[in-house]
């Protein structure tokens, strides 16, 4: 039962469409904010191959979804080609056989550096926001509903705004959206930690970094 709960939680970020690297960063952040009890429980559930690192497993849904038709359709899908320090990304939206696609070429992320930089900002500039991000008490609607609603709103306001389907997006596109994306990764990490802490400890909220 507990392991299926964890599985469902691990799938949540996929719904938000981070992709493999985003999931890794979210889980790196999450692990830093787990309470002692939650960290213990998570480590018990991880396979040996993860070496106690939650992030090692967080991209699993990205890997399996290409094997299942229902996972591929009706979802932001992306294809990546790695070329040196750049990644060519195609992202498509739509449930039809002719989805709308965009393309862009972005620098390859230094994933551990990104997680650390985001964690620094959680401590330095977003510390007052953390309790709002993780808040989900006395609320009769499932928390991920709100998180997904935020994503939909941001997708319309920023991700798909002023983009022409079929076009190749430039650095200007990527760089102007990057701060929003980094904040969403921070929120994802904090929220997943808060959820796991709620499940595995009597204490609520994230552990102090
Ligand atoms: C990224 O991390 C490496 C090793 O941890 C470090 O040497 C490097 O300076 C970092 N780069 C940035 C841009 O922070
Ligand atoms: C951290 O915050 C600073 C100041 O707002 C911003 O310039 C920077 O891009 C942020 N970095 C990350 C990784 O969120
Ligand atoms: C539930 O939580 C969300 C986000 O924290 C908030 O916007 C919403 O107003 C809350 N709903 C209720 C009924 O408290």
């Amino acid at each position: 039962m507990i392991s299926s709960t964890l599985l469902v939680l691990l799938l949540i970020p996929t719904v938000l469409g981070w992709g493999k690297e985003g999931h890794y960063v979210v889980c790196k952040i999450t692990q830093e904010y787990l309470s002692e009890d939650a960290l213990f429980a998570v480590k018990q559930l991880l396979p040996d191959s993860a070496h106690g690192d939650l992030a090692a497993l967080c991209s699993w849904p990205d890997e399996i979804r290409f094997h299942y038709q229902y996972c591929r359709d009706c979802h932001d899908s992306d294809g990546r080609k790695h070329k040196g320090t750049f990644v060519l990304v195609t992202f498509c939206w739509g449930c039809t056989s002719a989805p709308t696609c965009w393309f862009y070429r972005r620098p390859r992320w230094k994933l551990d550096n990104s997680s650390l930089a985001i964690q620094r900002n959680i401590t330095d500039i977003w510390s007052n926001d953390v309790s709002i991000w993780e808040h989900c008490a006395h609320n009769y609607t499932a928390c991920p509903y709100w998180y997904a609603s935020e994503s939909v709103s941001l997708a319309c306001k920023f991700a798909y705004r002023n983009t022409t389907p079929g076009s190749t997006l430039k650095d200007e596109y990527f760089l102007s959206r990057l701060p929003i994306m980094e904040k969403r990764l921070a929120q994802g990490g904090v929220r997943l930690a808060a959820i796991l802490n709620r499940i595995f400890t009597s204490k609520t909220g994230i552990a102090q970094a």
Side-chain angles (χ1 to χ4, degrees):
M1 186 325 243
I2 287 179
S3 61
S4 64
T5 308
L6 185 60
L7 205 62
V8 169
L9 291 172
L10 288 175
L11 287 167
I12 291 168
T14 301
V15 176
L16 306 179
W18 294 131
K20 206 168 163 172
E21 293 160 303
H23 292 150
Y24 180 92
V25 171
V26 164
C27 288
K28 272 283 175 206
I29 296 168
T30 296
Q31 188 144 351
E32 293 303 313
Y33 292 99
L34 291 180
S35 67
E36 210 176 303
D37 292 348
L39 184 61
F40 179 79
V42 165
K43 286 189 173 177
Q44 294 285 304
L45 291 166
L46 289 173
D48 291 344
S49 59
H51 300 294
D53 180 17
L54 178 61
L57 211 72
C58 288
S59 307
W60 175 79
D62 303 293
E63 280 147 23
I64 58 126
R65 73 188 161 107
F66 294 105
H67 301 299
Y68 299 101
Q69 194 64 36
Y70 70 88
C71 293
R72 260 196 311 253
D73 296 345
C74 303
H75 184 72
D76 270 321
S77 69
D78 53 54
R80 288 142 201 266
K81 282 201 185 107
H82 293 261
K83 282 211 163 161
T85 53
F86 286 92
V87 183
L88 301 172
V89 182
T90 308
F91 62 106
C92 300
W93 172 253
C95 294
T96 63
S97 57
T100 308
C101 295
W102 296 262
F103 314 91
Y104 74 93
R105 196 182 84 125
R106 64 158 171 76
R108 185 194 288 276
W109 286 357
K110 294 197 176 66
L111 295 181
D112 289 315
N113 291 38
S114 301
S115 325
L116 289 174
I118 292 171
Q119 277 167 49
R120 264 198 300 276
N121 276 3
I122 292 175
T123 310
D124 296 347
I125 59 172
W126 295 319
S127 57
N128 292 335
D129 299 332
V130 164
S131 62
I132 300 166
W133 294 350
E134 65 180 359
H135 177 77
C136 196
H138 313 296
N139 201 319
Y140 299 105
T141 309
C143 312
Y145 173 87
W146 293 104
Y147 307 160
S149 304
E150 290 169 1
S151 286
V152 168
S153 159
L154 291 170
C156 297
K157 263 196 217 148
F158 302 104
Y160 297 127
R161 187 113 187 220
N162 296 334
T163 55
T164 314
S167 63
T168 300
L169 303 169
K170 303 277 172 11
D171 287 355
E172 188 198 359
Y173 170 86
F174 178 70
L175 294 173
S176 61
R177 274 69 169 176
L178 186 61
I180 298 152
M181 198 183 65
E182 285 168 334
K183 193 168 181 181
R184 293 301 282 166
L185 293 172
Q187 291 172 325
V190 163
R191 285 167 166 173
L192 182 56
I195 291 170
L196 292 171
N197 289 344
R198 274 196 287 273
I199 293 172
F200 294 118
T201 35
S202 45
K203 282 181 266 165
T204 53
I206 61 169
Q208 292 308 308

